[in-house]
Amino acid sequence: MKNFRKQMLRTPLQSLFIIVLIMIVTVMLVVGGNLLVTSDKLSKAYEDDFITISTVLQKPDTVQERKVWDAQKGDYLLYKDSVYNRYATKEDMAFPEVTYLTGPEKRVYWGSYAPEYVHIGEDRAYSYITVAEFSPQKDYVPKESGKVLITRILGNDKRMEGSVVWFCDHMNRYPEELKADRTYVAMITEVGWTHGKEWEAVDKLSDDLEFAPEIVEPTLYTPEGKRIEDPLDMQGIYEVTEGFYETEAGQRFLAVADMAALYYETQPVVGTNSTDLLMPFYEQSAWVCEGRYPTQEEYAKGSPVCLMPRTFAENNGLSVGDVVNTRFYFTNAATRPDIAFDTGGGSVSFRFMGLDGKLLAPFEEKEYTIVGIYDYTQLTEGIGRDELIVPLNSVQNKMENIVDYGPMTDDNTSFQLPNGSISDFLEASAKHGVDNLVYTFYDRGYSALKEGIQNLKNMSAALLVMGVAAAVILTLQISHIYITRQKRRLSVERLLGVTGKKCRDICLTGILILLLMGTVPGVAAGMAVSERVDIGDMGQEDFNRKYSNLGLMAEVEIDLSGQNQGNLAVSCMMGGLMLVLGVGISGVKVRNILKREPLYLVEDGMAGK
């Protein structure tokens, strides 16, 4: 030991230089180890904060032109409609290589007849359908606007009775003449501005709206999406004669007149396998404010549980644990519920009518227990008025009385994937030749977070590899300087009677002290450097905004700054690795040297001089 100290004193600059190198290598090991542990910790800690879903849009196979007569222009208007040779189903996305956490599901919603409850807008009861009896003020052919007197309104909204309005059979190329002394009936709707000679003669500056008839027909589809043909060839305008309302056509007008009242007594019910697949909930613009979400087991079993909107619960004095009644009488497999059932009234393009011309009858009745009450921000799209949310499998007859049908869209089709598996999914989709489906992925920024963490792992792995390599090279050099080059001194000590064990202990103890002089400050410096590495800059801005595909409501604000606190256990482990390498390599060398006879060592030492 004394000889070792003398050797260090003879070469102080060399020894100091070696200590500095030991400290630098230790810093590399400590920083690399801490960053590796931190990246793994971040990956596990924030995994559950991210959910990866995708919506699905089916591209049309072709388009076809549709001609609609426009009386004002006196010509046909051309419209292009999408044509689908076949509607895609979830089986088209059953890729063996892909594991879905939820879905894929193409959601439908059902109309529940619920007259016993108070509904939003029920007090207004504005009719989105108007069935009117009217008489022209004079004989005329309704190929342009003419004035008619509304003599009777069929249904509950009587506001237009007694009104004189402009009327035109606007989309009929060959309208028949209307007689002033007769009464006619039609389902009328506002179609545009008035036009024609009579309007020009009365008041060219008038901006009164024109009313036109619509065909009263059912809109029923098969479960495969094929429109069921109407067995009755309906026209837009009928003359009201004695016994007319006993005919098939007359019965339809009575039924469609009752649809307005039925609309405000109808509650939309959406079926899903996870609220995470509903964009308002995924975007966090809708949330459960009382109670809980349905469990995965309840979704899988189709348990009779539901989420209820707060306004509906308050209006009807309902709370978590109560039961709500449903009577499903139609299925919509085309659009989201707020298109027809908006808080402001909605736009209903389908009919609650069967092929027999009568209102659809309920096909399934069920009681649901309220497990959660949800609320949502104003102007949230995708949630209908008073909308109930239930497990998809809770409804047995999912596709009965289908009044509207359409392809997969971003509004009705989605699925959930494991985080980080988007590229694998796209590869599988391409492999199976599914090119008519467009996927839009949302991961709340997980892709960018994963990229940042992967960069962190790569950097830490590089530091560790370089640190270990540098440690091996440095310890080999140390053992060469303080052991291999000291063969002669070791041989002399052995010849003077010093045992091999004592020689080994002296050498290794000295090297250990040298290593400690560099390792201890290296561990401290490495911890300080680790704490100063700002991993909060590794993609934080990007994964909040650039990669989320969502608005501000859906951003997952995760502060990564300060996450990389130097871990004492990891730092000491890296320092220990340096010591083990140094002592271990030196121990092997000194043991090999001491196995030889002292005289041979003297000769080798003299030869190496």
Side-chain angles (χ1 to χ4, degrees):
M1 187 66 186
K2 185 183 296 184
N3 292 332
F4 191 88
R5 288 199 301 268
K6 287 181 179 179
Q7 183 182 351
M8 291 185 63
L9 291 174
R10 284 199 302 267
T11 58
L13 290 178
Q14 184 184 50
S15 299
L16 181 61
F17 180 69
I18 290 175
I19 291 172
V20 171
L21 289 178
I22 293 172
M23 190 175 82
I24 292 173
V25 172
T26 304
V27 169
M28 292 174 61
L29 291 171
V30 170
V31 173
N34 274 297
L35 291 181
L36 186 63
V37 170
T38 298
S39 61
D40 186 63
K41 181 177 66 175
L42 288 175
S43 181
K44 293 178 180 178
Y46 294 127
E47 176 73 22
D48 294 336
D49 291 324
F50 294 88
I51 299 172
T52 300
I53 69 168
S54 176
T55 59
V56 186
L57 173 66
Q58 181 179 357
K59 295 186 295 186
D61 296 295
T62 185
V63 295
Q64 67 181 13
E65 289 186 345
R66 174 170 52 92
K67 297 195 301 183
V68 177
W69 179 257
D70 186 301
Q72 184 176 6
K73 294 183 178 297
D75 198 358
Y76 287 101
L77 298 179
L78 295 179
Y79 295 90
K80 289 188 176 181
D81 297 329
S82 298
V83 176
Y84 300 87
N85 298 331
R86 183 186 69 88
Y87 288 115
T89 66
K90 64 180 182 180
E91 283 71 26
D92 294 308
M93 292 181 283
F95 308 135
E97 303 89 346
V98 174
T99 300
Y100 294 100
L101 297 183
T102 310
E105 66 176 24
K106 182 188 178 188
R107 289 178 295 279
V108 302
Y109 75 88
W110 303 279
S112 171
Y113 178 58
E116 66 268 40
Y117 298 114
V118 176
H119 299 282
I120 295 177
E122 189 176 19
D123 55 334
R124 299 192 302 270
Y126 294 150
S127 178
Y128 71 94
I129 290 177
T130 302
V131 179
E133 290 184 1
F134 61 92
S135 295
Q137 290 190 331
K138 65 178 184 179
D139 296 353
Y140 85 108
V141 177
K143 62 182 180 181
E144 58 183 31
S145 301
K147 287 190 174 182
V148 300
L149 172 65
I150 304 295
T151 58
R152 179 189 175 197
I153 295 293
L154 281 65
N156 62 338
D157 187 357
K158 306 294 185 180
R159 290 174 301 160
M160 288 186 65
E161 282 190 357
S163 302
V164 176
V165 300
W166 294 97
F167 181 82
C168 173
D169 199 353
H170 201 89
M171 291 171 283
N172 186 353
R173 177 68 176 85
Y174 303 104
E176 296 182 1
E177 184 181 24
L178 301 178
K179 301 291 186 178
D181 59 348
R182 299 180 186 179
T183 299
Y184 302 89
V185 65
M187 181 175 70
I188 62 175
T189 184
E190 299 173 351
V191 294
W193 306 116
T194 49
H195 63 96
K197 295 179 180 178
E198 183 176 349
W199 167 71
E200 292 176 356
V202 175
D203 186 0
K204 291 184 178 181
L205 299 178
S206 171
D207 59 356
D208 291 338
L209 290 173
E210 175 191 271
F211 288 82
E214 283 190 67
I215 302 297
V216 178
E217 60 182 350
T219 57
L220 292 178
Y221 293 80
T222 66
E224 293 73 34
K226 183 179 180 181
R227 178 76 177 264
I228 301 175
E229 292 187 8
D230 188 354
L232 188 62
D233 185 16
M234 289 289 291
Q235 60 192 57
I237 304 171
Y238 283 83
E239 183 182 351
V240 179
T241 58
E242 185 176 352
F244 169 74
Y245 290 110
E246 296 176 5
T247 66
E248 285 186 280
Q251 288 290 308
R252 287 196 176 186
F253 280 104
L254 294 177
V256 78
D258 291 335
M259 283 174 55
L262 181 62
Y263 169 78
Y264 285 101
E265 294 175 337
T266 298
Q267 182 172 27
V269 181
V270 171
T272 184
N273 288 307
S274 172
T275 52
D276 288 329
L277 298 183
L278 305 177
M279 288 307 295
F281 285 89
Y282 183 82
E283 293 174 342
Q284 301 173 2
S285 56
W287 62 92
V288 169
C289 55
E290 295 181 37
R292 60 174 177 83
Y293 290 90
T295 64
Q296 291 183 346
E297 183 179 4
E298 289 171 334
Y299 279 122
K301 290 183 177 180
S303 302
V305 297
C306 72
L307 296 178
M308 174 177 288
R310 180 183 58 81
T311 51
F312 182 81
E314 292 177 352
N315 289 339
N316 292 278
L318 298 171
S319 58
V320 174
D322 291 341
V323 171
V324 62
N325 301 315
T326 59
R327 303 175 190 86
F328 302 131
Y329 73 96
F330 77 77
T331 303
N332 187 305
T335 60
R336 63 183 195 235
D338 62 317
I339 301 299
F341 294 90
D342 190 12
T343 54
S347 175
V348 182
S349 59
F350 52 87
R351 306 282 179 256
F352 312 149
M353 179 191 298
L355 295 177
D356 58 359
K358 298 180 181 179
L359 293 177
L360 296 172
F363 58 82
E364 187 170 335
E365 298 185 19
K366 189 179 292 291
E367 292 183 342
Y368 284 92
T369 300
I370 305 167
V371 296
I373 294 175
Y374 71 89
D375 203 354
Y376 52 93
T377 58
Q378 290 184 345
L379 304 179
T380 295
E381 294 183 348
I383 296 180
R385 62 158 173 82
D386 297 336
E387 176 186 316
L388 290 183
I389 300 171
V390 304
L392 184 62
N393 293 331
S394 67
V395 179
Q396 294 181 351
N397 304 300
K398 297 180 178 63
M399 300 297 281
E400 291 288 328
N401 292 350
I402 305 171
V403 296
D404 202 1
Y405 200 103
M408 293 180 174
T409 69
D410 294 335
D411 292 328
N412 63 24
T413 307
S414 52
F415 55 85
Q416 182 181 352
L417 293 173
N419 290 331
S421 61
I422 294 176
S423 59
D424 294 336
F425 175 87
L426 291 176
E427 288 179 7
S429 178
K431 176 182 177 181
H432 291 276
V434 180
D435 57 359
N436 65 333
L437 299 180
V438 178
Y439 308 104
T440 303
F441 293 95
Y442 304 87
D443 62 6
R444 295 182 178 171
Y446 179 82
S447 297
L449 178 67
K450 181 182 178 182
E451 182 180 354
I453 291 177
Q454 188 60 48
N455 290 338
L456 190 64
K457 286 184 177 179
N458 293 339
M459 184 173 69
S460 61
L463 277 175
L464 278 176
V465 170
M466 289 188 296
V468 171
V472 171
I473 294 172
L474 181 59
T475 51
L476 284 173
Q477 185 64 24
I478 291 173
S479 64
H480 176 73
I481 294 172
Y482 295 104
I483 295 177
T484 305
R485 294 175 60 180
Q486 305 303 318
K487 289 180 181 180
R488 185 169 180 275
R489 177 180 60 80
L490 290 173
S491 63
V492 172
E493 291 178 349
R494 291 286 306 279
L495 291 173
L496 293 176
V498 180
T499 64
K501 181 177 180 304
K502 189 171 182 181
C503 287
R504 184 194 62 195
D505 292 344
I506 291 172
C507 289
L508 294 183
T509 301
I511 290 174
L512 178 61
I513 292 174
L514 183 68
L515 290 170
L516 285 172
M517 292 174 68
T519 301
V520 172
V523 169
M527 290 183 65
V529 172
S530 297
E531 292 177 358
R532 294 182 66 86
V533 176
D534 187 6
I535 64 174
D537 290 335
M538 295 185 180
Q540 170 72 11
E541 180 69 18
D542 287 343
F543 74 69
N544 272 341
R545 293 176 171 80
K546 182 177 178 182
Y547 291 90
S548 66
N549 283 342
L550 299 175
L552 295 177
M553 287 299 300
E555 293 174 5
V556 179
E557 297 289 348
I558 296 178
D559 184 12
L560 299 182
S561 61
Q563 294 293 326
N564 189 35
Q565 301 299 322
N567 188 298
L568 181 60
V570 173
S571 301
C572 291
M573 188 187 308
M574 294 299 102
L577 176 62
M578 185 68 195
L579 296 176
V580 169
L581 283 173
V583 174
I585 291 175
S586 299
V588 171
K589 278 201 171 185
V590 74
R591 185 173 61 252
N592 290 336
I593 290 174
L594 292 176
K595 284 180 179 179
R596 303 180 64 185
E597 291 295 328
L599 288 176
Y600 288 113
L601 290 176
V602 172
E603 293 177 0
D604 291 344
M606 293 296 293
K609 221 174 179 183

